[in-house]
Amino acid sequence: GCEISGNAITIPDGLGDAKGGGLCLLNSTVTLDGCTVSNNAITTGINGFCYGAGIFTMGGALEITNSLICSNVANGGWWGWDGGTRGAGITVQAGALDLSDSTVQRNFSYCRGVGGGYGGGLYLNGGMHAIRHCLLEENQCAGGYYGYGGAIFKAAGGTAEVDRCIVRGNRALTTGGGLYQVGGTLRNSLVCSNWANDNAGGVRLESAAGRLENCTISDNSSVYGAAGLSMSAGAATNLIVYFNRR
């Protein structure tokens, strides 16, 4: 095991983006077993973007087992219409993530001003990703104007399977308090007690590539729209959806 904790990166105005406050991996093959990645922070100036306050990986393969990804904070700049912060816990840009028997907890993606965030806990884009037997709880995605995917934001690129997980007590400023899926599959999982301000307190499915299978979506809430599940495309089979409210 290992501990990666208490690191901070601050990028001044006009000097670019911040990536990987705790660990930054480029085209690397890395295994973390029994590790804690916690209390790392990244902050950018006015025009900067934040990627992965805990871990940022691009290319290569990252395997994480029996680990805790906790209390990492990404604080992006003001002018981030395209996503000022992404994945405060872990950001994956291409490559592969295999995350199992682990906890992703109390990570916070935030963007000042007119920006926003994607994925309080995890941001997954490109490559092949597997999340199994994990607890994702009390992560937040907020911002000046928007926040999508309190626990997980799955972008359009690559594939992802989230299997036998608990997604609980996460929050998103806009949509997808638990998960925001532009593609990817969620199966055999419980999504409960999550919150979103606009709609989809539990799960948002955005594209035809998104799938929900054998899941329970309960006790989620939103202020304006669908509290449990919101779909504009995708497929959902064998679900229990109950006691969601606004």
Side-chain angles (χ1 to χ4, degrees):
C2 63
E3 181 171 350
I4 303 170
S5 181
N7 301 287
I9 297 174
T10 299
I11 306 297
D13 292 350
L15 294 184
D17 304 329
K19 299 177 180 179
L23 191 61
C24 185
L25 305 171
L26 302 177
N27 300 312
S28 303
T29 299
V30 173
T31 298
L32 301 178
D33 185 12
C35 293
T36 297
V37 181
S38 67
N39 296 297
N40 301 288
I42 52 177
T43 303
T44 59
I46 290 177
N47 296 313
F49 291 70
C50 287
Y51 302 87
I55 300 173
F56 172 83
T57 179
M58 176 180 287
L62 174 60
E63 180 180 358
I64 302 174
T65 57
N66 303 306
S67 293
L68 173 64
I69 314 297
C70 178
S71 302
N72 300 287
V73 177
N75 189 352
W78 285 81
W79 307 108
W81 283 109
D82 233 354
T85 62
R86 302 187 183 188
I90 302 173
T91 289
V92 183
Q93 291 276 29
L97 172 66
D98 189 329
L99 176 65
S100 64
D101 301 299
S102 296
T103 296
V104 180
Q105 182 182 67
R106 292 194 298 273
N107 300 285
F108 186 25
S109 289
Y110 179 77
C111 190
R112 310 180 302 280
V114 299
Y118 294 84
L122 307 176
Y123 176 88
L124 307 174
N125 185 32
M128 299 177 63
H129 315 299
I131 317 297
R132 305 183 310 278
H133 300 110
C134 288
L135 172 63
L136 301 105
E137 69 171 355
E138 298 178 4
N139 302 284
Q140 295 189 54
C141 188
Y145 277 23
Y146 59 85
Y148 299 106
I152 300 175
F153 184 93
K154 171 62 186 74
T159 63
E161 291 193 1
V162 180
D163 189 11
R164 289 164 289 177
C165 291
I166 297 174
V167 181
R168 178 176 67 197
N170 303 281
R171 299 171 67 89
L173 178 63
T174 311
T175 303
L179 301 93
Y180 193 109
Q181 293 179 237
V182 186
T185 300
L186 174 69
R187 61 166 57 96
N188 306 318
S189 294
L190 171 64
V191 181
C192 66
S193 304
N194 303 285
W195 176 91
N197 186 63
D198 284 0
N199 64 67
V203 180
R204 169 66 176 170
L205 286 186
E206 183 70 21
S207 80
R211 297 286 186 273
L212 292 176
E213 302 172 0
N214 307 320
C215 292
T216 297
I217 301 172
S218 68
D219 196 32
N220 302 284
S221 59
S222 67
V223 177
Y224 298 109
L229 170 63
S230 172
M231 299 173 59
S232 58
T237 58
N238 197 28
L239 302 184
I240 298 172
V241 182
Y242 76 100
F243 199 59
N244 301 287
R245 61 200 182 279
R246 59 173 183 161

